[in-house]
Amino acid sequence: MIPLKLKLRNFMCYRDNVPPLDFQGIHVACLTGDNGHGKSALLDAITWALWGRSRTADHDALIHLGQTEMEVEFEFALENTRYCVIRKRRKGDGRRSGQTILELQVWNGERYQPITEPTVRATEERLCQLLRLDYDTFINSAFLVQGRADEFATKRPGERKQVLANILGLDIYDRYEELAKERAHERAAIVNVLSQQIRLLDEEIAHKPEYEEQEREAARQVAELSSRLREAERKLEELQACQRDLFNQQRELNDLEQRVRRDAAELSRLESQLQESRSRLQALEETIARRDEIEAGYQRWQEAREMEEAWREKQLALSRLQTEQARLEGEIRAAQASLQAEIRALEAQIAQWRNQVARIPELENAAAEANERLKTLESQATEAAALRQRLTALGDEAASLRAQNELLKAEMESLKERLELLQAASAVCPLCGQPLVEADRARLVQELEADGKARGDQFRINVQRIKTLEVERRAVEGRLQELERELKAQTQWQRQATQAEMALAEARRSAEALAEAEAKLANLCHRLERGEYAPEARAALARLSEQEQEIGYDADAHRRAQEAVVAWAQFETRYADLQRALASIEAEQRSVTQLTARCDALRAALAEDRQRCDALRARLEALPQIEEAVREQDRVVLELATQEQRARELLGAAQQRLATCQALEQTRAQRMRELQQAREEQAIYEELREAFGKRGLQAMIIEAAIPEIEDEANRLLTRMTDGRLFVSLETTRTGKTTGDPIETLDIIIRDELGPRPYEMFSGGESFRVNFALRIALSKLLARRAGTRLRTLFIDEGFGSQDAQGRLRLVEAIQSIQDDFERILVITHIEELKEMFPVRIDIVKTPEGSQISLS
């Protein structure tokens, strides 16, 4: 991965006014600036853009103070392909957590084309696949953080091997060892379970001969009981056949008895019908004997009814005529009432219009007064709107000044802490740990005091301006309240003006309609006095009076005709009875003859059925003995069937146990195969546990890596010390008491005087050794991650080196520059800044940190 361009917005100490940092054309560069100005923040921006990680786990803490979002855009080259990653962050608002947006793009020759995955996690995984580096591998290889190599060198010899294992990522083999151990324990538990299952299976299979003997005995009992059961069932079938024959005769007897009872009831019913039919025949003969009398009376009734119907027709015609007369009279009264109602309504309307016309002068004065008042309120509303805008502007300006003062206060507190550190008698450089010279300390104190004074002056100016704004705000609010109280009456005056204008328009329309209404009222009153209404109804009523005389209806004659009809009405019923008697007498005579014949036949059948019933009762006397014999034989059959079923159950149980034994034998064979497989897998996992342990692959990997580390470290030491220092790593030594080999990782440094321990060398010499070992470890770690180390960031302190040592370190960095496409060195030491071909200066300003190249 080779950096090409870095663009920041509101990231840590950087605002949105920072021009992009272009790395193209840079091979070796020095990143300089005072402590806290933002040198390490640039490296945090790169790691946060690529992996979403930095020195802090709180993403919102990376957002510039006072801002709510930030953005980092980082372009880099990877194997002749350019990529661009953009990561954005928006701070949460208390109800919702912060939100991160990640975009990944690739250069297609003309522009960047997005290749972003659907989620942030998926896009980060794709980035790691492209880079073949995760965050931990990067900060242990391409990013030389101060103190990491020293951590390796200063530990006890017995612990260095573990540190190297951690740097090489051998902790994965510890996880493999633990997994292999867990799997071995799991297989051991399976072996124990299978062994226990096989023991239980063997105990059950041992009962197989006993189950075979039980099966044979049960089969013999089943055969014997089956034979006895078949004989008993044959006897039971014979008795049941005899019983069924008697049951059939019993049913026949029951049917005969039921038929006898039914025929006896039918005979009684027929005799009753015969008596009734003879009575009806006698009544019909008596009615026919009075035939002449009935026919004469019926003729007199018909004549009276015809007369009554003629008078009823005239009555109906007169009634219809009277109904029409009543309708016409109602229509005349309704026309008169309608004319009177119209006159009353018109009189009320004329009175109302006269009142409205009289109010015209009053309404004109009210409308003029309301319109004049509204003009005054409109000018006050305009003034109130202007005051509200001014009040908003005053509030915005005051809020902006308060926010600026909060930022100035935080910055002054930070400057105060830095001044206290610099003014201490034993002030040291926070980066390299060396004491500051008096001139440098005085210069830094003067710069910080000037910076603090400028911020304090601005803070006090802002406070005075806020007070002035507050005074003006209170005056504006007072005037605005007065106007708002007066403007509350605006709606009332608008309503009053509208009402006055509407009433005035209505009064003027009433004046126009008044004369026409008065003329109309005079005309209606004239028509009412002369009766000029409903002329057609009046003419029709006169014609109906003439028709009433023409009908000639006599109520007394009609009443006498009705009385004659009532007097002869009985002959209508008697004549109908005579006609029915003449029509039905022959049928009634045939019914009497037929009922007599049916009664004689039914008496003969009843006598025959009673004789058959007596014979069946004699045969059914043996039925109780047969039923008792059937019950006894059924009990015998049931007992034998129960015994046979029990014997068959014993036989089935024995056969089931034998089948279970056979299945258990197959299961035992399967469990034996599983036991053998589990034992083999347990042995394999035990071997893997040994292989993944400290004495296995991990020791082999360390032994294989040490020569590569030694070669690379000694190549750098040769350049930094003119070949005076050499380093070697020993992984074992002989115990002093036992003489046995002991695993360790000792650092042996040789100079012109011979080998000496690491602790016996000076700080400058130790730093050179640390630096050489760290470069060697970084290259090894990058190669193991599957990528070539193309960029190197060095954040190691140079304060422990003298002038000659610093020169040697710079020369060492220059000597390895051909191995890298980009090398960035972070330092604040003045004399080192001029030793690099490119310098990137970081300067902190009130508007945020700024970047410049020279």
Side-chain angles (χ1 to χ4, degrees):
M1 186 270 293
I2 303 172
L4 298 179
K5 186 180 294 185
L6 179 65
K7 184 177 180 181
L8 308 175
R9 183 172 66 85
N10 295 334
F11 185 84
M12 295 183 71
C13 56
Y14 296 93
R15 293 288 300 274
D16 55 358
N17 56 354
V18 184
L21 178 57
D22 194 346
F23 294 101
Q24 299 185 70
I26 297 177
H27 186 195
V28 180
C30 175
L31 191 62
T32 67
D34 292 339
N35 292 334
H37 280 207
K39 300 186 298 297
S40 298
L42 292 178
L43 302 181
D44 283 329
I46 293 175
T47 60
W48 186 76
L50 293 174
W51 295 285
R53 296 179 62 183
S54 62
R55 287 174 292 173
T56 177
D58 186 3
H59 297 312
D60 290 344
L62 300 175
I63 301 176
H64 188 82
L65 183 65
Q67 304 298 316
T68 59
E69 60 179 1
M70 65 177 176
E71 178 180 348
V72 177
E73 180 177 337
F74 180 54
E75 298 182 30
F76 61 92
L78 184 66
E79 296 179 355
N80 299 324
T81 304
R82 291 172 59 185
Y83 296 91
C84 177
V85 59
I86 302 173
R87 189 182 290 264
K88 303 176 184 179
R89 176 73 179 180
R90 180 181 293 276
K91 187 181 297 185
D93 57 3
R95 293 176 299 176
R96 295 175 295 180
S97 58
Q99 181 182 10
T100 298
I101 298 175
L102 179 61
E103 300 178 12
L104 179 61
Q105 303 172 354
V106 63
W107 185 258
N108 62 5
E110 297 179 355
R111 58 184 178 83
Y112 278 111
Q113 180 178 352
I115 55 173
T116 307
E117 298 294 334
T119 63
V120 173
R121 183 181 296 275
T123 306
E124 289 178 344
E125 292 176 356
R126 183 165 187 178
L127 261 171
C128 288
Q129 293 173 359
L130 288 173
L131 297 170
R132 296 194 291 275
L133 279 175
D134 57 13
Y135 175 75
D136 294 325
T137 304
F138 175 78
I139 63 173
N140 283 286
S141 58
F143 188 11
L144 272 64
V145 181
Q146 183 178 3
R148 294 301 295 267
D150 181 69
E151 175 189 3
F152 172 73
T154 57
K155 287 187 177 293
R156 293 194 301 271
E159 298 175 346
R160 290 184 184 126
K161 197 168 189 178
Q162 183 60 41
V163 174
L164 180 59
N166 292 338
I167 294 176
L168 292 174
L170 298 184
D171 57 334
I172 189 172
Y173 292 104
D174 293 333
R175 293 196 294 273
Y176 290 163
E177 179 187 11
E178 186 64 26
L179 287 174
K181 183 178 179 181
E182 292 177 1
R183 299 290 172 80
H185 287 167
E186 291 174 359
R187 295 307 182 277
I190 293 174
V191 167
N192 292 333
V193 171
L194 290 174
S195 300
Q196 181 69 15
Q197 291 179 353
I198 291 172
R199 183 182 64 78
L200 296 175
L201 291 172
D202 289 339
E203 291 177 359
E204 184 64 24
I205 293 172
H207 295 291
K208 185 176 180 181
E210 178 184 349
Y211 297 154
E212 291 175 344
E213 178 61 26
Q214 292 176 358
E215 180 190 22
R216 287 191 295 271
E217 177 62 21
R220 183 189 64 77
Q221 293 180 3
V222 167
E224 178 182 352
L225 289 172
S226 297
S227 175
R228 292 173 59 190
L229 178 61
R230 286 193 296 273
E231 179 64 22
E233 288 175 344
R234 184 186 61 78
K235 292 181 180 179
L236 177 61
E237 289 177 357
E238 292 177 354
L239 289 172
Q240 287 176 341
C242 182
Q243 185 184 33
R244 284 194 298 273
D245 183 59
L246 290 176
F247 281 159
N248 292 333
Q249 294 181 16
Q250 179 68 55
R251 283 193 295 273
E252 182 181 359
L253 175 60
N254 294 337
D255 293 342
L256 282 173
E257 290 176 345
Q258 184 177 3
R259 189 168 66 188
V260 166
R261 289 191 297 273
R262 185 175 61 249
D263 289 349
E266 178 67 13
L267 177 60
S268 177
R269 186 182 66 80
L270 290 176
E271 289 175 346
S272 177
Q273 287 181 356
L274 178 60
Q275 183 64 32
E276 293 175 358
S277 183
R278 286 172 177 170
S279 297
R280 287 194 299 272
L281 180 60
Q282 183 179 357
L284 293 175
E285 290 174 346
E286 291 176 356
T287 299
I288 293 173
R290 294 190 294 271
R291 180 174 182 178
D292 294 337
E293 177 187 356
I294 293 172
E295 288 178 348
Y298 180 72
Q299 179 65 30
R300 297 291 298 275
W301 173 77
Q302 283 184 324
E303 292 173 353
R305 190 180 64 174
E306 290 175 357
M307 181 63 69
E308 193 275 333
E309 286 179 356
W311 287 111
R312 187 168 61 250
E313 287 291 337
K314 292 182 178 182
Q315 184 185 27
L316 289 175
L318 180 61
S319 177
R320 286 193 293 269
L321 187 63
Q322 291 174 346
T323 301
E324 181 65 16
Q325 287 175 340
R327 185 187 67 79
L328 291 173
E329 290 173 352
E331 184 177 343
I332 293 170
R333 289 192 299 272
Q336 182 183 8
S338 175
L339 186 58
Q340 291 173 345
E342 186 177 359
I343 290 172
R344 288 193 298 271
L346 191 56
E347 288 175 345
Q349 184 66 52
I350 288 172
Q352 181 180 357
W353 285 342
R354 286 173 179 169
N355 292 334
Q356 291 177 350
V357 170
R359 292 185 60 212
I360 288 178
E362 177 187 351
L363 295 173
E364 288 176 345
N365 293 332
E369 180 184 0
N371 289 327
E372 184 65 27
R373 183 57 180 166
L374 285 174
K375 290 179 181 179
T376 303
L377 291 174
E378 286 176 1
S379 63
Q380 292 177 343
T382 304
E383 181 182 357
L387 289 176
R388 291 190 190 95
Q389 293 178 356
R390 179 55 184 165
L391 195 61
T392 302
L394 291 173
D396 293 343
E397 184 178 357
S400 175
L401 290 173
R402 291 190 182 94
Q404 185 178 359
N405 275 4
E406 290 293 332
L407 182 60
L408 289 171
K409 185 176 179 180
E411 292 174 349
M412 286 189 293
E413 291 293 336
S414 177
L415 290 173
K416 181 179 178 182
E417 293 176 0
R418 293 170 61 185
L419 275 172
E420 291 174 354
L421 292 174
L422 290 173
Q423 290 172 352
S426 58
V428 296
C429 177
L431 187 61
C432 64
Q434 295 297 315
L436 286 171
V437 298
E438 186 60 31
D440 291 339
R441 182 170 64 175
R443 177 180 57 79
L444 290 174
V445 169
Q446 183 180 3
E447 291 177 357
L448 292 176
E449 288 178 344
D451 195 3
K453 183 177 182 303
R455 286 175 168 78
D457 293 341
Q458 184 62 45
F459 183 88
R460 287 185 288 275
I461 292 171
N462 291 347
V463 169
Q464 187 60 37
R465 176 59 179 165
I466 290 173
K467 292 180 180 178
T468 303
L469 294 174
E470 182 64 21
V471 172
E472 184 179 354
R473 182 186 65 79
R474 287 196 293 270
V476 171
E477 285 181 345
R479 175 57 181 162
L480 183 59
Q481 290 176 358
E482 294 177 1
L483 292 175
E484 287 177 346
R485 284 195 298 271
E486 294 179 1
L487 287 173
K488 288 181 179 179
Q490 187 175 18
T491 303
Q492 179 180 355
W493 282 107
Q494 287 176 344
R495 183 169 58 253
Q496 182 174 340
T498 302
Q499 292 174 351
E501 291 175 355
M502 292 175 60
L504 183 59
E506 182 65 23
R508 289 170 179 168
R509 286 194 296 270
S510 298
E512 295 175 358
L514 182 60
E516 181 180 353
E518 290 176 343
K520 183 177 179 181
L521 177 62
N523 182 36
L524 292 176
C525 292
H526 179 71
R527 287 175 55 195
L528 181 62
E529 292 174 357
R530 299 181 60 182
E532 295 179 355
Y533 49 86
E536 296 179 357
R538 290 174 180 271
L541 185 62
R543 289 194 297 272
L544 290 178
S545 297
E546 297 175 357
Q547 293 176 6
E548 182 178 1
Q549 298 299 326
E550 295 175 356
I551 292 174
Y553 174 72
D554 187 351
D556 294 334
H558 188 191
R559 179 177 53 77
R560 288 192 297 273
Q562 290 175 338
E563 291 174 353
V565 169
V566 172
W568 297 101
Q570 59 173 322
F571 286 97
E572 178 184 13
T573 305
R574 294 177 65 183
Y575 183 78
D577 293 339
L578 175 62
Q579 298 301 316
R580 284 194 294 274
L582 292 173
S584 60
I585 189 170
E586 293 181 1
E588 198 66 39
Q589 290 173 349
R590 288 193 300 272
S591 177
V592 169
T593 303
Q594 292 173 356
L595 287 173
T596 302
R598 289 180 62 188
C599 287
D600 294 341
L602 195 55
R603 291 189 189 95
L606 275 173
E608 183 178 354
D609 288 342
R610 288 188 176 112
Q611 185 179 0
R612 175 62 178 166
C613 286
D614 293 339
L616 290 175
R617 290 191 188 96
R619 295 176 188 173
L620 289 172
E621 292 179 356
L623 181 59
Q625 294 82 1
I626 296 297
E627 289 178 340
E628 179 61 27
V630 168
R631 285 194 294 271
E632 178 62 22
Q633 191 64 26
D634 186 62
R635 184 189 62 76
V636 172
V637 170
L638 179 60
E639 182 178 352
L640 290 174
T642 302
Q643 294 176 0
E644 185 203 28
Q645 179 64 28
R646 190 179 301 110
R648 289 186 181 278
E649 290 175 355
L650 293 174
L651 176 61
Q655 292 173 344
Q656 180 64 31
R657 285 192 288 269
L658 285 176
T660 301
C661 286
Q662 295 173 357
L664 292 177
E665 289 174 348
Q666 298 177 358
T667 302
R668 184 183 185 282
Q670 177 64 25
R671 294 294 182 271
M672 288 297 297
R673 290 192 293 271
E674 294 175 357
L675 178 62
Q676 181 64 26
Q677 181 180 357
R679 286 172 175 169
E680 293 175 356
E681 291 179 356
Q682 180 184 3
I684 292 172
Y685 285 124
E686 291 289 350
E687 293 177 2
L688 287 174
R689 183 177 63 82
E690 294 292 335
F692 291 139
K694 302 293 184 183
R695 300 177 183 274
L697 287 173
Q698 296 189 42
M700 294 173 61
I701 292 173
I702 292 175
E703 291 290 343
I706 284 177
E708 182 178 347
I709 297 172
E710 291 176 340
D711 292 344
E712 182 64 28
N714 286 324
R715 185 173 67 84
L716 293 176
L717 280 175
T718 299
R719 296 173 182 173
M720 289 188 290
T721 64
D722 290 334
R724 189 174 60 83
L725 293 179
F726 293 92
V727 65
S728 63
L729 303 174
E730 295 183 358
T731 59
T732 59
R733 69 168 181 263
T734 304
K736 294 181 180 180
T737 59
T738 62
D740 295 332
I742 300 175
E743 292 190 7
T744 183
L745 186 61
D746 292 330
I747 301 175
I748 305 300
I749 305 173
R750 292 178 175 83
D751 58 6
E752 63 273 9
L753 300 178
R756 284 187 291 164
Y758 170 83
E759 294 79 9
M760 300 301 297
F761 285 86
S762 66
E765 292 173 330
S766 299
F767 179 78
R768 295 187 187 101
V769 172
N770 291 340
F771 183 77
L773 286 173
R774 181 53 194 274
I775 294 294
L777 290 172
S778 298
K779 285 192 172 184
L780 174 65
L781 184 58
R783 182 181 61 78
R784 285 179 53 79
T787 183
R788 187 162 66 92
L789 199 59
R790 306 291 300 278
T791 302
L792 188 64
F793 299 93
I794 302 175
D795 195 11
E796 294 286 351
F798 296 94
S800 62
Q801 304 296 305
D802 54 19
Q804 185 66 23
R806 294 172 185 172
L807 180 60
R808 294 292 187 185
L809 280 174
V810 174
E811 291 175 352
I813 293 173
Q814 293 173 348
S815 67
I816 63 173
Q817 64 182 355
D818 293 337
D819 297 334
F820 300 93
E821 294 288 339
R822 301 273 190 278
I823 298 179
L824 295 179
V825 180
I826 301 175
T827 184
H828 67 282
I829 300 175
E830 290 292 335
E831 60 188 84
L832 289 179
K833 297 178 181 180
E834 305 300 330
M835 295 183 181
F836 294 92
V838 179
R839 187 172 73 189
I840 303 173
D841 293 312
I842 310 296
V843 179
K844 192 171 185 179
T845 69
E847 291 76 24
S849 297
Q850 298 293 322
I851 304 173
S852 62
L853 272 70
S854 59

